[in-house]
Amino acid sequence: MNLNLKNQVAIITGSSTGIGAACAIGLAAEGVKVVINYHSSDQEAKKVVKQIKAAGGKAIAVKADVSKEKEVKKLIKACLDKFGHLDIMVANAGLQADASFTEMTLKQWNKVIGVNLTGQFLVCREAARIFQKQGVHKHGRAAGKIICMSSVHDEIAWAGHVNYATAKGGVKMMMESMAQELAQDKIRVNAISPGAIQTDINKDAWDNPEALEQLLTLIPYGRIGQGEDIANVCAFLCSDAADYITGATLYVDGGMMLYPGFADNG
Ligand code: NAD
């Protein structure tokens, strides 16, 4: 399959670690020039850039807090200054600030909504503005592609994580509404909803045998996911092979959405 991604330009937010890093490395392997966005320490971002360059790819690291409008604009400018255009936005940055509902502070609520929902709004809006201006050009069949990193928790309720599940539920509707509005501009907007992927965000769920065993009861396919599982789907959704796909959510979860508790008659 020819993904036809060569020489396209992508920003992947929160890509110094985890799923974002895997998506950046995966896109770069297909010839995409990538912007590694990081939030605080540049150490890990530099490592990802180094790895991509060592494999013959092109990458830069840019610091920006996606929940801040000014910083998002600076991120976009840094990309355009370096690479001249933008074809792909992967709105991936995210975090958790967990608490039981009655213990949840406004700060915890605002933090998660600010990064996981408003942050995606800000980066997607800036990208869509560029795609509209740019139109369909020599790189690929669409004027631009947006991938929203959602979660199985855009569907599955999650006690103790009401802020996170609410943000992801919001991402699903934001993604679908954007897709509807932007299709006429030949901008494709889709979401990937990962299940359990082995990254820092959910370390407590896999870093000891008891926790992992418990987690695996939720995954019919019998293994925890890896960043690469998401990166492969990300590259496909960004490619011309997916040119007729917009407004879709792909659940990449080893079957977590299949209510595994009912596998033995409930
Ligand atoms: P991760 O912690 O490795 O990655 C999250 C990244 O976002 C980090 O690099 C972090 O620095 C960055 N970030 C946080 N706040 C930011 C801000 N204000 N501005 C810019 N960057 C910021 O965890 P991950 O698992 O790779 O998470 C990536 C995305 O995948 C998140 O949106 C998460 O909700 C989603 N997700 C992960 C899983 C999983 O099982 N790991 C499951 C479903 C969804």
Side-chain angles (χ1 to χ4, degrees):
M1 192 187 307
N2 179 9
L3 297 184
N4 196 22
L5 286 167
K6 211 163 187 295
N7 290 322
Q8 296 197 30
V9 176
I11 296 175
I12 304 99
T13 66
S15 52
S16 60
T17 62
I19 290 172
C23 289
I25 291 163
L27 286 172
E30 294 297 329
V32 177
K33 301 168 193 170
V34 295
V35 175
I36 307 299
N37 157 245
Y38 65 97
H39 177 231
S40 36
S41 149
D42 66 354
Q43 299 282 46
E44 282 163 320
K46 279 183 175 161
K47 263 193 238 160
V48 178
V49 168
K50 202 170 161 195
Q51 187 179 338
I52 288 170
K53 285 186 171 168
K58 291 199 169 77
I60 56 166
V62 179
K63 181 175 178 167
D65 178 340
V66 296
S67 68
K68 305 216 164 92
E69 192 170 20
K70 269 193 189 150
E71 295 197 23
V72 169
K73 284 182 188 286
K74 268 178 19 196
L75 169 66
I76 300 280
K77 185 174 180 312
C79 171
L80 296 180
D81 286 350
K82 176 71 183 175
F83 295 126
H85 62 111
L86 179 69
D87 306 281
I88 295 163
M89 172 61 77
V90 183
N92 166 78
L95 44 73
Q96 289 180 214
D98 306 329
S100 67
F101 184 63
T102 49
E103 295 298 319
M104 188 171 286
T105 63
L106 181 59
K107 196 171 171 197
Q108 286 171 315
W109 173 266
N110 282 339
K111 186 168 188 181
V112 173
I113 299 296
V115 175
N116 295 15
L117 182 57
T118 308
Q120 291 213 11
F121 159 69
L122 289 172
V123 300
C124 292
R125 188 192 62 183
E126 293 309 311
R129 285 174 173 170
I130 292 169
F131 299 156
Q132 278 176 336
K133 234 187 265 170
Q134 218 167 242
V136 178
H137 61 138
K138 61 183 176 181
H139 299 297
R141 295 181 67 182
K145 282 87 58 161
I146 292 173
I147 307 292
C148 296
M149 202 56 70
S150 188
S151 162
V152 289
H153 296 296
D154 61 17
E155 278 289 331
I156 300 176
W158 205 15
H161 310 260
V162 169
N163 47 3
Y164 184 89
T166 303
K168 295 300 186 183
V171 162
K172 185 163 193 286
M173 194 44 79
M174 181 178 75
M175 178 281 289
E176 290 173 3
S177 302
M178 279 195 294
Q180 196 185 57
E181 186 168 331
L182 298 172
Q184 62 189 349
D185 300 314
K186 291 280 177 287
I187 298 168
R188 294 193 298 107
V189 188
N190 292 292
I192 299 173
S193 287
I197 309 298
Q198 193 166 12
T199 71
D200 285 349
I201 208 171
N202 58 356
K203 207 162 188 242
D204 294 351
W206 54 260
D207 74 344
N208 68 76
E210 298 77 43
L212 183 60
E213 192 183 340
Q214 177 61 29
L215 178 66
L216 291 179
T217 64
L218 299 174
I219 308 172
Y221 204 58
R223 70 166 173 89
I224 189 166
Q226 300 300 323
E228 220 186 1
D229 292 311
I230 305 301
N232 291 335
V233 175
C234 179
F236 164 70
L237 277 178
C238 291
S239 78
D240 283 355
D243 189 55
Y244 207 48
I245 302 179
T246 195
T249 296
L250 289 190
Y251 289 90
V252 184
D253 65 351
M256 194 179 248
M257 290 286 286
L258 301 173
Y259 295 94
F262 284 88
D264 57 2
N265 206 25

